């Protein structure tokens, strides 16, 4: 095992996949890195405390932020994502950050 980690700030959507293994769990089986899934079960909504917790992990190779699903509104995401990333950058300025969008639910097309 390498001495670097992939860090995932996960949402409940990805943790509770019923028919298949969660995608990050599958990835962790094929990548030669320690895989840290910080699933806050819908509780992580861009708070600075969550960013500081994530930033405290030593030697991350990559941050994957499933950010949109829990923040609620575009306004909240616009307000909280830049400071969240600033906290990560302050501690680990060269670590890549991948921010993923949530997959829309089918009902969102009918009930926006």
């Amino acid at each position: 095992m390498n001495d670097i980690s992939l860090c995932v700030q996960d949402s409940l959507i990805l943790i509770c996949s019923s028919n298949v293994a969660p995608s990050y769990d599958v990835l962790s089986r094929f990548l030669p890195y320690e895989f840290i899934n910080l699933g806050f079960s819908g509780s992580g909504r861009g708070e600075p405390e969550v960013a500081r917790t994530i930033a405290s992990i030593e030697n991350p190779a990559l941050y994957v932020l499933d950010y949109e699903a829990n923040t609620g509104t575009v306004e909240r995401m616009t307000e909280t994502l830049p400071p969240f990333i600033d906290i990560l950058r302050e501690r680990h300025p060269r670590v890549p950050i991948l921010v993923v969008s949530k997959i829309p639910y089918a009902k969102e097309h009918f009930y926006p």
Side-chain angles (χ1 to χ4, degrees):
M1 187 76 55
N2 292 318
D3 61 349
I4 57 176
S5 303
L6 300 178
C7 179
V8 179
Q9 183 258 324
D10 202 347
S11 74
L12 184 62
I13 295 164
L14 295 172
I15 295 169
C16 295
S17 176
S18 59
N19 294 327
V20 296
S23 56
Y24 298 136
D25 181 46
V26 172
L27 282 175
S28 70
R29 295 177 194 171
F30 297 102
L31 298 175
Y33 301 106
E34 179 180 16
F35 212 88
I36 301 171
N37 181 341
L38 298 173
F40 291 100
S41 298
S43 299
R45 301 193 174 168
E47 298 88 344
E49 296 80 11
V50 173
R52 284 192 282 277
T53 298
I54 293 170
S56 72
I57 295 169
E58 295 296 324
N59 300 318
L62 169 69
Y63 289 117
V64 179
L65 306 178
D66 181 14
Y67 198 88
E68 182 182 3
N70 292 334
T71 53
T73 65
V74 171
E75 292 80 15
R76 173 91 176 139
M77 191 167 85
T78 302
E79 174 187 320
T80 61
L81 184 58
F84 195 96
I85 290 175
D86 288 343
I87 290 168
L88 298 179
R89 284 274 170 251
E90 187 177 300
R91 178 81 190 262
H92 302 284
R94 304 190 85 170
V95 174
I97 299 173
L98 175 63
V99 180
V100 297
S101 296
K102 77 178 190 76
I103 298 170
Y105 296 109
K107 70 178 183 178
E108 292 176 11
H109 294 288
F110 302 104
Y111 307 103

